[in-house]
Amino acid sequence: MDFSFTRDEELFRESVRSFLAKRLSPIWESIDEHGFIPADLIRDMGSQGLFAIAVPETYGGQGGSFTMAAIAAEEVGYHDPSMATAVYTLLNNAWPFILYLYGSESVKSEILPLVGSGRAFFGIASTEPQGGSDVAGLRLSAVREGESYSLWGEKIYISGVREALEQLEAGGWLLIARTGRIEDRHRGLTAFAFIAKRDGRVIDGFEYSVLKTIGRHGISTGILSFKGARVPLDSIVGGEGRGFYVAMEGFNIARILVAAANLGAARWVLEEAIRWSRERRLFEDKPIASFQGVSFPLAELMVELEAARLLVYKSAWMADRIYISKEPGLKPGDLAFYAAASKMKAVEVAFKAAETAMKTLGALSYTKESKVHRAFLGILSYLVGAEGTQNIMRYIVAREVIGKEYVK
């Protein structure tokens, strides 16, 4: 067994950490306060090689691995614990790879180089007003009309709306739509590469709005309304009727990167709590770290964080074996347990770390003089949803370890 990173991975982490310390750390609080990731920062992150990491260079990616993508997500989460730029980073690593795997040559050649360079956004649009966890029950319809499909319906809680449609040259989402009957459930779903903006112009038959969230303000979350917007046949990703399976594969990859980003945010909040516990002095000028009520919870969380980190990077290693080295005997479905377990563990550890940090800082943490509340609210977004709720992660793990025939 080898628990070390390769020399290339270590060098990658060092270069990413150095870049983010100079470029992101000084402005992340401002990004969260003003609710805006600067477009020039996104382009600079693209130039640094933080997007489309596992996509081959021939399609404008970095030709790297999912371990490297996890490293990038973790470091961005650390340098922006509000999670805004971490969300942007993980989305633009997971879903471009799915497009590379199953998209048409024309669409891949058009959008992937733009994503890799930080000039375009490509995320996921699956959640609908009636529910997000029941992917098989999605209702947005795609109606075949000659050489294209017309889209009718609505998606909600979609990340990257403003970034894709206002800030960058191009943008869109892997859109899950119903091409079959509602009774067909997952067999009636198809995935489309819905490029909503090309060459600076948003397509017709499509409207959007931005929601007001309680945290993670830097990246927008919004509503997509489809009123006959058309997508050509070559926009289909993975084949008609295969949308559910394409989405599940993408979610497995995205969940690993979500978990990695939460590792970074957790590391940041614990460092803040430890620093404060050393500096804050009470009761005959003693540092509060000298009291077990303060130091023991921090000690326990550092152990939990290390356990989560091992699980997350094992999951990224598994993804590399499946998709990068393509080891015989492994298939995409083998990642389901590890991806769900990673998100389940890392997000809950991160949220507990943020909560404990706020308790350690006390009243200060409830003011804008402290930055810890920004991490708390950013991490919370992944506790309540995004790439699947925590109970859905438990359901997936239970199904994988107990058996699909028993866990319905």
Side-chain angles (χ1 to χ4, degrees), residues 271 273-281 286-289:
E271 287 180 6
I274 290 168
R275 178 185 62 78
W276 181 256
S277 75
R278 292 166 175 166
E279 295 175 358
R280 180 66 165 160
R281 308 184 79 86
K286 295 179 182 178
I288 62 172

Side-chain angles (χ1 to χ4, degrees), residues 149 177 179-180 185-192 236-246:
Y149 286 81
T179 50
R185 297 284 291 169
H186 62 278
R187 294 180 183 87
L189 296 175
T190 299
F192 294 88
I236 292 178
V237 179
E240 187 169 332
R242 298 289 302 172
F244 177 84
Y245 306 100
V246 170

Side-chain angles (χ1 to χ4, degrees), residues 14 41 56 73 78 119 133 169 190 228 281 310-311 321 356:
E14 289 173 15
L41 172 62
Y78 177 85
R119 293 179 292 151
S133 297
E169 295 176 26
T190 299
R281 308 184 79 86
L310 289 170
L311 176 59
R321 293 174 68 200
T356 301

Side-chain angles (χ1 to χ4, degrees), residues 51-192:
F51 308 136
I53 290 172
V55 172
E57 294 178 35
T58 51
Y59 287 99
Q62 314 306 326
S65 65
F66 288 107
T67 298
M68 294 173 72
I71 289 170
E74 181 185 357
E75 290 302 323
V76 175
Y78 177 85
H79 290 87
D80 175 10
S82 79
M83 299 297 283
T85 49
V87 171
Y88 188 98
T89 300
L90 69 91
L91 288 173
N92 285 277
N93 275 292
W95 299 103
F97 186 79
I98 292 298
L99 180 59
Y100 155 69
L101 282 183
Y102 300 118
S104 67
E105 286 297 320
S106 59
V107 177
K108 290 193 292 189
S109 299
E110 174 193 4
I111 197 70
L112 291 179
L114 295 175
V115 172
S117 62
R119 293 179 292 151
F121 173 92
F122 191 75
I124 175 68
S126 62
T127 303
E128 296 182 2
Q130 75 276 3
S133 297
D134 180 18
V135 176
L138 298 181
R139 296 172 183 240
L140 184 144
S141 65
V143 181
R144 177 75 179 266
E145 297 179 359
E147 296 302 305
S148 66
Y149 286 81
S150 62
L151 303 171
W152 303 88
E154 195 170 72
K155 298 290 184 182
I156 195 169
Y157 310 129
I158 306 304
S159 294
V161 172
R162 185 180 55 241
E163 292 73 13
L165 303 174
E166 297 178 12
Q167 292 181 249
L168 303 176
E169 295 176 26
W173 296 265
L174 185 81
L175 177 75
I176 313 303
R178 183 159 297 283
T179 50
R181 302 173 307 164
I182 189 68
E183 295 82 7
D184 294 334
R185 297 284 291 169
H186 62 278
R187 294 180 183 87
L189 296 175
T190 299
F192 294 88

Side-chain angles (χ1 to χ4, degrees), residues 269 273 352-367 370 372-374 376-377:
V269 295
K352 184 65 176 177
E355 178 189 5
T356 301
M358 292 187 72
K359 290 177 179 177
T360 303
L361 270 66
L364 175 62
S365 72
Y366 204 66
T367 71
S370 165
V372 172
H373 71 282
R374 299 183 189 275
F376 179 88
L377 291 172

Side-chain angles (χ1 to χ4, degrees), residues 262 265-267 269-270 273 293 296-302 304-305 344-360 372 375-377 379-380 382-383 390:
N262 275 269
R267 179 158 53 96
V269 295
L270 285 174
F296 279 17
L298 296 176
E300 290 166 0
L301 279 165
M302 290 302 293
E304 288 295 303
L305 180 58
M344 189 175 100
K345 181 67 174 177
V347 171
E348 291 178 7
V349 169
F351 186 75
K352 184 65 176 177
E355 178 189 5
T356 301
M358 292 187 72
K359 290 177 179 177
T360 303
V372 172
F376 179 88
L377 291 172
I379 293 166
L380 177 61
Y382 278 112
L383 190 77
Q390 291 301 88

Side-chain angles (χ1 to χ4, degrees), residues 12 16 19 42-54 61-63 68-69 72 89 93 116-117:
F12 179 72
V16 170
F19 166 79
I42 294 172
R43 288 192 293 270
D44 288 349
M45 292 174 72
S47 298
Q48 184 66 26
L50 297 182
F51 308 136
I53 290 172
Q62 314 306 326
M68 294 173 72
T89 300
N93 275 292
S117 62

Side-chain angles (χ1 to χ4, degrees), residues 318 320-332 334:
M318 279 290 295
D320 286 337
R321 293 174 68 200
I322 293 167
Y323 292 108
I324 307 301
S325 59
K326 297 180 174 63
E327 294 189 17
L330 294 176
K331 58 187 185 300
D334 295 334

